[in-house]
Structures are given as structure tokens and as C-alpha cells.
């Protein structure tokens, strides 16, 4: 086995000392005797290293973990491990030293099991890569004596000098010694703030980071030359665990393994299976007796618990533990949930207004009045008979709950709410940037992804094979053209598949309605519409949930074949594709009910047919808004309950149970080994890897669409979204703290592309709600009737005005009802909902003037509503500044203070130089007289005669 000579090995205390290992130690000349061995046997090294949080010396903290698979024989696994991996502890060393135990390794090589070429290649790459990490200044320690069979761990520690160097490279802003007062409010505002603080004190989390701060440390990008500016009294805590892991991860990404002409960072090594995992450690346990206080335990108690659902989130502590990117997600989710409270209250008021006025609604009263004796035309051919409008009384009354004048106001309100929410979030984001020292932070270009490097290597090898001299290769649009074509065709196919499924559900609705209409019972006929609607919506919900998972996988595959260069490009392209597919999947059935159902039906005697046999379905006499409400509510609640909550709770629990069964089986095989307490990195290895924030954002963005796009038809949508989000915050928090490996902290100053998507949905919501109010609801026809056709200025006669007449003798052959006397009398004229000329007119069944008047009013309303609401939204956007005034003042104050600090430093240096010059003039002669051999130069005399401490 090849050994990297740059490794220097330290004697390590082992959990158990085997006789053959003791003999090996004696053979290679270690001067350790029985006392040392007995100490190592009696002492518990796991307690010294806090069960994996520190190296075996108990002093150096583990900042990162690399995990790899290896093969070992069942008979001589201890021998092989001790001989092959005697470099159990690796640290940086400027001088190359021979690896202790090298001779023993050569002697024992024959006893090693034969390993295939791929395993050897992976091992050699690991050795080279780890050697390069040591050269970069990191300290490594290997552990293969674990409870997980065939898994080895490499613990990484970044010493102080490496942390300082990388913090300077990354331009990390660190707190200086300089403290300054944060501007406080005065007068009435101060009293109001104090009252609000007292009222909200019970719902504040009990963490130090969440307390109101009156002073703040001045922050400045770390510099080794200006270390005197920073408070380095406690170097161990100056860089917290989140910052340390970020620094190590940056080194891991840029450190290369150049074997086989392949520049491989940690992402490439993970992709090629050289390492199986890489992750920072959690701070410790979050439950159990005698658990030391740590940030993870505090987060579990004050954030990731359903018992604190009513409290604010400790966002600063979340950022301290998980980093800015995850902190911003939970901050955005908290702001969104808070903003849903006023929207929910207004939605409840609108719903209650509909309930209170349902008995005063004249159109629904006319529909329910059996004295009107309005006979309606059949809903399907042959099997359906004539029916009384009063049988749809329940549907008409229920429609009024959501189709009333208050819903128009609520649509305007929600459009302004969306604009206010976006502005409020921008201001909150700026406050967080100031508190988290992210002002002036600009994201730099990330390292290339492993797949991109592989494609570039493949391209360069092809050109080398053709004997072409080329510069540094990169992928062009020509290289990606097949992938772009596949993406275009794939997305079109997926959208077409969604439309096909919706069309299939339409066929189901039509055929089921015709089948149920054959029922002879009146109660069965009256419930046909509700039954068909409910079952069709459930089918849509199941299909949407299944296709959501499928489309997520397809979007990832389509993005992977594009081979984006960086992780940021990959994430943005993935988000765009996944959002496009999931948006179409979730909203296509709702768009159909809102804008297409009942629009292309035709008329009695001239219906539109699908496949020459199925008649297009019609809206209920009260309109399609009630059905749209049912569709929206079931899909929204179903997705939230099943996909967002049950899946997020059930799947991790199931995976955890499977892991428990596997561990239980292993314990039965090796009971003594598993009685020992696991190391921290072993426990974290069994957790689920962090898969990114895209799924978390995606479900919230889709929910935001449900809340804003069709809110005119379902005013209670904000309420259900609020209830879901209260659970969602704690559910996500529990998942991050207890179920997932600790993610690498990523700096970010905003939520990225998601903000643009939210703005786009907000603009689209104005347009869609304008069309829902004007075309789906009866709001505009009622206004037109009230101001143009009503004789007494009331809504009496509105229902009769919206119905046209049809002579039953004009039915096409074979389409008339089989039982024309089903109502007990012969029907001559039946009614249907449309604006057409009566059969006794010269242009019978043509579109009437009333239709064009209503259509003109509808289009006029869309234009006025859209422009008015857009203008109001832009006005809200303009009137609310993006940066709060106090934050802009604080940022300016920080700049002024920083200039003052540097000016004082420069003045101090000048004064020191002047003092040196004066003392040099006074003492220069004395030095020359007493020690002429030391007066080689002016600087030499200073250094020889006097020593002045410099402490700026």
C-alpha cells in the first residue's frame, strides 16, 4: 500500500488494545511500557474527546467529517486496520517524516485481502487528497474502529492560522473591539415600543440572541495585518462552529486530487464515490440526561417544538447554527405567516358577510322559489330529463357565500396585501443584512461542479486524441444543444401530459354525470353535480400529488443533462423547471373550471360534442364559482395535509425505523461492540443528508399561488394557509435539528430567484382575479341588469333575465329525453342559461344584444380593475422605502466609525514614528560611543540599544 510521506503519525489512545497491536508497537521501537498501556486501557478516551466532537487529544475540535467505504476481511480486520491505517492521527508538518510502522506494514501486506483495482484507485485518491489537505494546513485524524461495518471516518480540524488565512480570503466580517450605541427611538415611539415589548414578552423565545440589543460591535472584514482591531481574548470561540465548517468546506472544494489528469475537489470525489459523505458535526445531543448545554439543544427546546408554536422564531440563533441562507428561509416563512394573519381575518369577515346576507340575496331566493316553476332543459342527451330550477336551491345559496360584492373588495385587498408583503419582506431582509453583517456582501463565482469538470475533461481528451492544441476548455452552447433540445421537448411533453390527464378527468365527469342521471330517485339526481365534482377533484388531487414527485425528479434530470457550471446556476435552472412543471400541474384543473367549463357548451339542439358522443359539461345555474371553490379548497387542503405534512413526517419516521431495524440486527451479531456509546460523527452519519431548500420554498410558493391567484373564489384560503404554516415552521425546524445532518453554512443576502417568482405570482394574481370576478362569477351580469334592465332598481327578475328559452320540438333527432313526462306534465318550452334570442324571434337562438352588453362590461371591468390595482400596488411599492430609515442611518454610522478607527490608527503610527526619531537623535551618540560595532545603521542602533513595544 502506498503511503503519503507528508503524514506524521501521533501515538493515539485506542478504545481497545489487541495483543498483536502491542507487539507491533514494540517492534517499531516506541518507548512505551506497561504503565502507558495500562493507562490507555483504564482511561475512557471517548469522554476526553467528548464522544467525537474533538480529536483524541481532547483539545482540537472536529470541524468537518469525511466518510468513506473500505473493504476488510472478516478474520483479520483489526490487523489490517492497525497495519494499513497506522496514520490514525494526521497533522500538518513542514518537515517530511517517515511514517511510523512502515516496516510492519510491509511485513503484513501479504495478509491483506486482495482488493480490486477500483478500491485501490479510490484509496490512492484519498491518500493524495488528504495529503494535499495537510499541505493546505488542515489537521486530520482517521477512525475506522467504528460500529458501522466497512465505514471509515476522517476528522478534520482547522488550526488558528488556517482559520485566519481563509477568513481573510473569504472577506468574512468579524466583530471588532469597537462598540457603539444603536440609535434608539424617542418620545412617543419609545413608549409605544416599550408597551409592545411588554405585551409580546411571553411569545419571545428565551435565547440570548433574540434579546433587544442597545449596543453593537463594529464589524470589519478579517485581516491578519489588523488582528489588533479584533477581540481575540478567546480564540477558541472567535470563529464559531458554523464559520469553522464553512472555512473547511471552502478548502475542501478548492483542494484538488490530480490523479489521472483529473482535477477533483470534494464535490467530484463525492460524485465518484471516493468519499461517501462529507458534513460538519452537530454541536451535541439535543435530548437525554446529563446533556451539556449547546445551541442544538436550545434550538430544539425554543424552536423545534410544537409546544412553542405561538412564539417568535429565534432567527439569530438559527442563523448562528445553520448559516444565513437557511436563516433567511425561516425568516421569510415567519414574515409570510405573520402577514397571513390580517388576510385571514379579512377573509373570515368576507365569508361571514356572505353567510349573513344569504337570506337577503334576491337571485338565490328566486331560484329557490318553487312558485316560479322554471323548467330547465336536460343536462345530457336521452337519459337526462327536464328538471326544476328549484332543485338547485342549495347550490345557489352556497354560491352566494363566495359570490357576493365583498369578494370584489377582498380581491383588491389581497392584491394590495401581496404588494405590502413583498415590501415588508424587503425591509425585513435589509434589517437582517445589517444585523448579520452582510451589508456590502457580494456573492463570488462558485467552484465548477463535478459533472461540469468531467464533461470538460472528456471534451479535452477528445481533442487531444485528434492532436489538436487547445486552450482551457469550456462547454459552449453547441455542446449543450442536445440537452437544450431534450429540455424543450421534455417540458412540452410534460405539459401536454398534464393537459391530457385533465382532459381525461373531464371525460370522467361527463360520463359519470350521464350514468348517475339514469338514477330514478329524485335525491340521486339532485346530488349528481356534487358527487361528480367531489370525486373528480379527489382524482385530480391524487394525480397532482403523484405528478409532483415525478416532475421533481424529471426537472432534476433535465437540469443535470444541461451540465450547469456552478451550483448556483444548477439551482436556478432546477427551480425554474420544477416551478414551471409543478405550477402547470397544480393549477391546470383550477384554470379549467374557472375559465373554460361551460364556455363551449353550445345550446339545446346544437350542443358541442367530444368524440361525437360526450356533451361538454355545463356550469350550475348559480355559476361555476361554487365548483371552483370546491376544487380549490380540496386541492389546497389535500396538498398541504398529505404532501406537505404527512410526507414530511411519515417518510423520515419510516426511514428512521428502517435504520433502527438494521442497527438492531447488527447488535444481535455484535452485542459487545454496540453497547458502547456512539461517536458524534457516527450518529450524524445515520441522519438524512441535507437536500437543499428548493422543496421547502416550492411548497410555500405553490401555497402562495393558492392564496393569491383565485382568492376571489375562496376567501378562507389565507386562513387555511396560516394554520398550515404554523405547523410547517415547527415541522421544518424539527426536521433540520433532529432528522438531518448539519448543512454547510452558506452566506446569502437575499432569497434569490424566489423573490422574482413571488413578484411574478403577485402580478399574475391581479389579472386572474380580474377575470374570475368578471367571467366566472355573476358580479358583472348583476351590475348590468341592475343599472340597465331592472324596472324598479332591484335584482328582482335577474334569474329570468339570464335564462333563454328553447322549443323542445327543435331537438336534434335522438337527443330528446326518453321520458318527456318525467315531471308529470308535457313540456313545450325549457330554459337554459345563456343570452340568446327566443324561438319565436326572427333570428331564433342567435346571440342577443344582452350578451354583447354583458361582455363589454366584463372586458371593461378587467381593464379598469387590472390597471387600478396595478397602480395601487406600484404606489404601495413606491411609498414604502426598501431600506428602513434607521437601518440606513446605522449603516452610515458604521462607515463613519470605521473611518475614525483607521484615522486614529494612522495618527498613532505617526506619533510613534516621531517618538522614535526623537529618541534616536538623543541616544544615537551614546550608542555609538559605547558600542561602535553595533552602529552599522540607524535602524541597527535602534534595535541594539532600545526595545519599544508596539501596541496600537
Amino acid at each position: 500500500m502506498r503511503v503519503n510521506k507528508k503524514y506524521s503519525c501521533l501515538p493515539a489512545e485506542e478504545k481497545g488494545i489487541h495483543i498483536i497491536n502491542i507487539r507491533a508497537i514494540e517492534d517499531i521501537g516506541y518507548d512505551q511500557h506497561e504503565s502507558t498501556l495500562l493507562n490507555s486501557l483504564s482511561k475512557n478516551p471517548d469522554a476526553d474527546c467528548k464522544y467525537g466532537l474533538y480529536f483524541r487529544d481532547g483539545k482540537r475540535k472536529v470541524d468537518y467529517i469525511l466518510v468513506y467505504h473500505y473493504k476488510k476481511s472478516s478474520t483479520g480486520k483489526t490487523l489490517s486496520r492497525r497495519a494499513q491505517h497506522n496514520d490514525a492521527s494526521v497533522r500538518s508538518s513542514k518537515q517530511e517524516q517517515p511514517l511510523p510502522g512502515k516496516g510492519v506494514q510491509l511485513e503484513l501486506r501479504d495478509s491483506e485481502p486482495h482488493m480490486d483495482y477500483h478500491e485501490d484507485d479510490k484509496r490512492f485518491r484519498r491518500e493524495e487528497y488528504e495529503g494535499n489537505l495537510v499541505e493546505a494546513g488542515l489537521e486530520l485524524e482517521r477512525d475506522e474502529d467504528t460500529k458501522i461495518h466497512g465505514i471509515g471516518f476522517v476528522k478534520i480540524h482547522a488550526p488558528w492560522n488556517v482559520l485566519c488565512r481563509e477568513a481573510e480570503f473569504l472577506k468574512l466580517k468579524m466583530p471588532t473591539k469597537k462598540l457603539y450605541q444603536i440609535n434608539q427611538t424617542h418620545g412617543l415611539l419609545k413608549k409605544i415600543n416599550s408597551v409592545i415589548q411588554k405585551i409580546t414578552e411571553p411569545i419571545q423565545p428565551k435565547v440570548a440572541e433574540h434579546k433587544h440589543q442597545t449596543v453593537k460591535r463594529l464589524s470589519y472584514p478579517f485581516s491578519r495585518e489588523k488582528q489588533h482591531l479584533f477581540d481575540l481574548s478567546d480564540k477558541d470561540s472567535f470563529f464559531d462552529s458554523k464559520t469553522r465548517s464553512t472555512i473547511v468546506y471552502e478548502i475542501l472544494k478548492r483542494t484538488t486530487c490530480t490523479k489521472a489528469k483529473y482535477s477533483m475537489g470534494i464535490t467530484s470525489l463525492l460524485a465518484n464515490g471516493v468519499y461517501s459523505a462529507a458534513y460538519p458535526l452537530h454541536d451535541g445531543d439535543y435530548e437525554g440526561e446529563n446533556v451539556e448545554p449547546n445551541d442544538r439543544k436550545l434550538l430544539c427546546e425554543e424552536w423545534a417544538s410544537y409546544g412553542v408554536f405561538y412564539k417568535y422564531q429565534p432567527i439569530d440563533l438559527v442563523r448562528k447554527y445553520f448559516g444565513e441562507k437557511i436563516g433567511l428561509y425561516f425568516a421569510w416563512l415567519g414574515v409570510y405567516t405573520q402577514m397571513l394573519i390580517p388576510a385571514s381575518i379579512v377573509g373570515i369577515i368576507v365569508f361571514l358577510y356572505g353567510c349573513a346576507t344569504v337570506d337577503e340575496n334576491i337571485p338565490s331566493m328566486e331560484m329557490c322559489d318553487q312558485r316560479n316553476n322554471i323548467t330547465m332543459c336536460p343536462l345530457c342527451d336521452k337519459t337526462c330529463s327536464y328538471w326544476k330550477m328549484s332543485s338547485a336551491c342549495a347550490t345557489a345559496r352556497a354560491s352566494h357565500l363566495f359570490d357576493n360584492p365583498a369578494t370584489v373588495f377582498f380581491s383588491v385587498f389581497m392584491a394590495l396585501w401581496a404588494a405590502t408583503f413583498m415590501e415588508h419582506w424587503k425591509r425585513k431582509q435589509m434589517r437582517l443584512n445589517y444585523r448579520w453583517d452582510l451589508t456590502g456582501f457580494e456573492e463570488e463565482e462558485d467552484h465548477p461542479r463535478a459533472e461540469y469538470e468531467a464533461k470538460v475533461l472528456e471534451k479535452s481528451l477528445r481533442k487531444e486524441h485528434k492532436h489538436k492544441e487547445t486552450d482551457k476548455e469550456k462547454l459552449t452552447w453547441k455542446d449543450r444543444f442536445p440537452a437544450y433540445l431534450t429540455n424543450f421537448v421534455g417540458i412540452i411533453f410534460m405539459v401536454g401530459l398534464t393537459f391530457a390527464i385533465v382532459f381525461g378527468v373531464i371525460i370522467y365527469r361527463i360520463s359519470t354525470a350521464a350514468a348517475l342521471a339514469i338514477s330514478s330517485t329524485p335525491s340521486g339526481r339532485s346530488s349528481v353535480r356534487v358527487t361528480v365534482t367531489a370525486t373528480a377533484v379527489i382524482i385530480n388531487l391524487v394525480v397532482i400529488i403523484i405528478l409532483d414527485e415525478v416532475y421533481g425528479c424529471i426537472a432534476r434530470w433535465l437540469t443535470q443533462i444541461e451540465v450547469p457550471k456552478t451550483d448556483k446556476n444548477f439551482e436556478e435552472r432546477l427551480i425554474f423547471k420544477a416551478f414551471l412543471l409543478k405550477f402547470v400541474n397544480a393549477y391546470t384543473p383550477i384554470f379549467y373550471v374557472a375559465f373554460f367549463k361551460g364556455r363551449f357548451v353550445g345550446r339545446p339542439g346544437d350542443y358541442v360534442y367530444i368524440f361525437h358522443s360526450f356533451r361538454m359539461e355545463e356550469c350550475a345555474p348559480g355559476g361555476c364559482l361554487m365548483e371552483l371553490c370546491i376544487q380549490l379548497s380540496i386541492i389546497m387542503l389535500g396538498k398541504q395535509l398529505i404532501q406537505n405534512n404527512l410526507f414530511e413526517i411519515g417518510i423520515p419516521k419510516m426511514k428512521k425505523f428502517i435504520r433502527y431495524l438494521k442497527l438492531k440486527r447488527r447488535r444481535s451479531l455484535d452485542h459487545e461492540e454496540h453497547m458502547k456509546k456512539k461517536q458524534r460523527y457516527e450518529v450524524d452519519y445515520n441522519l438524512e443528508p441535507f437536500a437543499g431548500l428548493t422543496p421547502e420554498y416550492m411548497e410555500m410558493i405553490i401555497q402562495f399561488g393558492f392564496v393569491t391567484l383565485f382568492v376571489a373564489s375562496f376567501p378562507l384560503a389565507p386562513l387555511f394557509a396560516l394554520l398550515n404554516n404554523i405547523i410547517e415552521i415547527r415541522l421544518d425546524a424539527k426536521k433540520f435539528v433532529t432528522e438531518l445532518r448539519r448543512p454547510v453554512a452558506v452566506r446569502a443576502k437575499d432569497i434569490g430567484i424566489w423573490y422574482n417568482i413571488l413578484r411574478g405570482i403577485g402580478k399574475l394574481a391581479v389579472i386572474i382575479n380580474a377575470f374570475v370576478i368578471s367571467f366566472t362569477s355573476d358580479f358583472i351580469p348583476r351590475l348590468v341588469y341592475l343599472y340597465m334592465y331592472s324596472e324598479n332598481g332591484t335584482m328582482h327578475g335577474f334569474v329570468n333575465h339570464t335564462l333563454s328559452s328553447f322549443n323542445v320540438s327543435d331537438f336534434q333527432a335522438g337527443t330528446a329525453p326518453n321520458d318527456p313526462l318525467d315531471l308529470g306534465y308535457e313540456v313545450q318550452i325549457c330554459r337554459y342559461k345563456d343570452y340568446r334570442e327566443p324561438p319565436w324571434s326572427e333570428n331564433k337562438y342567435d346571440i342577443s344584444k344582452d350578451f354583447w352588453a354583458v361582455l363589454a362590461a366584463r372586458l371593461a371591468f378587467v381593464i379598469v380593475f387590472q390597471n387600478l390595482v396595478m397602480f395601487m400596488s406600484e404606489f404601495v411599492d413606491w411609498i414604502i422605502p426598501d431600506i428602513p430609515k434607521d437601518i440606513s442611518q446605522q449603516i452610515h454610522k458604521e462607515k463613519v466609525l470605521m473611518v475614525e478607527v483607521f484615522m486614529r490608527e494612522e495618527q498613532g503610527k505617526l506619533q510613534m514614528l516621531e517618538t522614535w526619531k526623537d529618541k534616536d537623535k538623543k541616544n544615537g551618540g551614546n550608542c555609538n560611543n559605547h558600542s561602535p560595532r553595533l552602529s552599522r545603521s540607524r535602524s541597527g542602533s535602534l534595535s541594539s540599544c532600545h526595545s519599544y513595544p508596539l501596541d496600537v
Side-chain angles (χ1 to χ4, degrees), residues 94-245:
K94 295 181 180 179
Q95 297 179 351
E96 294 187 1
Q97 301 179 17
L99 183 67
K102 192 170 182 181
V104 177
Q105 185 177 349
L106 295 174
E107 293 173 7
L108 297 177
R109 182 169 296 179
D110 294 336
S111 65
E112 293 181 11
H114 177 71
M115 304 180 78
D116 58 16
Y117 167 76
H118 295 290
E119 290 298 322
D120 287 340
D121 182 62
K122 288 179 181 179
R123 188 172 69 253
F124 293 156
R125 289 186 181 185
R126 284 198 297 269
E127 288 177 357
E128 181 188 355
Y129 182 70
E130 290 165 15
N132 293 338
L133 291 179
V134 171
E135 288 184 353
L138 298 178
E139 298 176 3
L140 312 181
E141 185 176 80
R142 192 189 306 275
D143 184 10
E144 291 184 0
D145 187 17
T146 63
K147 302 176 184 64
I148 308 174
H149 181 74
I151 300 292
F153 297 89
V154 177
K155 295 174 276 187
I156 302 177
H157 168 77
W160 173 256
N161 61 324
V162 174
L163 292 172
C164 293
R165 181 191 71 206
E166 297 299 323
E168 186 173 351
F169 291 166
L170 295 173
K171 301 176 183 176
L172 295 180
K173 275 192 172 183
M174 304 302 294
T176 64
K177 297 176 184 177
K178 177 69 176 176
L179 289 169
Y180 70 94
Q181 286 286 130
I182 298 176
N183 292 340
Q184 302 294 322
T185 55
H186 300 284
L188 182 62
L189 284 177
K190 185 177 181 180
K191 293 180 180 179
I192 294 173
N193 287 340
S194 62
V195 171
I196 292 173
Q197 286 179 9
K198 289 180 181 178
I199 294 173
T200 59
E201 187 176 356
I203 60 175
Q204 299 291 345
K206 298 176 182 179
V207 297
E209 287 79 4
H210 199 79
K211 292 180 181 178
H212 181 67
Q213 303 292 334
T214 57
V215 294
K216 185 178 183 292
R217 286 191 179 273
L218 192 63
S219 296
Y220 184 73
F222 188 83
S223 172
R224 286 172 289 180
E225 295 179 354
K226 293 182 170 54
Q227 287 193 33
H228 54 273
L229 295 176
F230 303 94
D231 184 10
L232 303 179
S233 56
D234 186 5
K235 291 185 178 181
D236 292 336
S237 62
F238 183 73
F239 295 106
D240 56 17
S241 58
K242 177 251 310 179
T243 307
R244 296 175 71 99
S245 62

Side-chain angles (χ1 to χ4, degrees), residues 473-484:
E473 291 295 336
K474 63 179 181 179
L475 297 184
T476 62
W477 70 270
K478 292 181 181 178
D479 301 317
R480 291 191 173 105
F481 180 74
Y484 290 153

Side-chain angles (χ1 to χ4, degrees), residues 624-746:
C624 278
L625 198 70
M626 185 61 198
E627 188 172 342
L628 176 62
C629 174
I630 295 172
Q631 185 102 2
L632 183 67
S633 59
I634 292 180
I635 291 178
M636 178 182 176
L637 296 177
K639 271 180 67 66
Q640 290 185 166
L641 180 64
I642 299 173
Q643 195 173 25
N644 298 357
N645 293 330
L646 289 184
F647 280 12
E648 287 191 17
I649 296 173
I651 292 177
K653 294 289 183 187
M654 186 175 64
K655 289 181 177 179
K656 196 172 183 180
F657 180 69
I658 293 171
R659 287 197 300 269
Y660 169 75
L661 293 179
K662 289 180 179 178
L663 289 174
K664 191 175 180 182
R665 192 178 307 161
R666 286 174 183 168
R667 283 175 186 158
S668 62
L669 297 174
D670 196 353
H671 178 73
E672 183 179 350
E673 184 73 15
H674 284 274
M675 287 300 290
K676 303 174 186 175
K677 185 175 178 179
K678 280 189 175 182
Q679 302 290 327
R680 178 79 262 152
Y681 43 84
E682 294 178 83
V683 177
D684 287 3
Y685 177 72
N686 289 323
L687 298 176
E688 287 293 310
F690 175 62
L693 289 171
T694 301
E696 314 298 336
Y697 272 114
M698 188 66 71
E699 64 184 63
M700 288 296 106
I701 297 296
I702 296 295
Q703 184 204 83
F704 182 78
F706 283 124
V707 169
T708 56
L709 292 180
F710 296 94
V711 74
S713 63
F714 190 38
L716 296 179
L719 174 64
F720 289 114
L722 173 65
L723 298 176
N724 173 80
N725 288 6
I726 291 173
I727 301 172
E728 181 73 21
I729 290 175
R730 307 303 164 179
L731 182 64
D732 284 348
K734 197 171 187 65
K735 181 172 68 174
F736 272 82
V737 174
T738 65
E739 301 288 342
L740 297 179
R741 293 176 192 161
R742 188 175 183 177
V744 180
V746 178

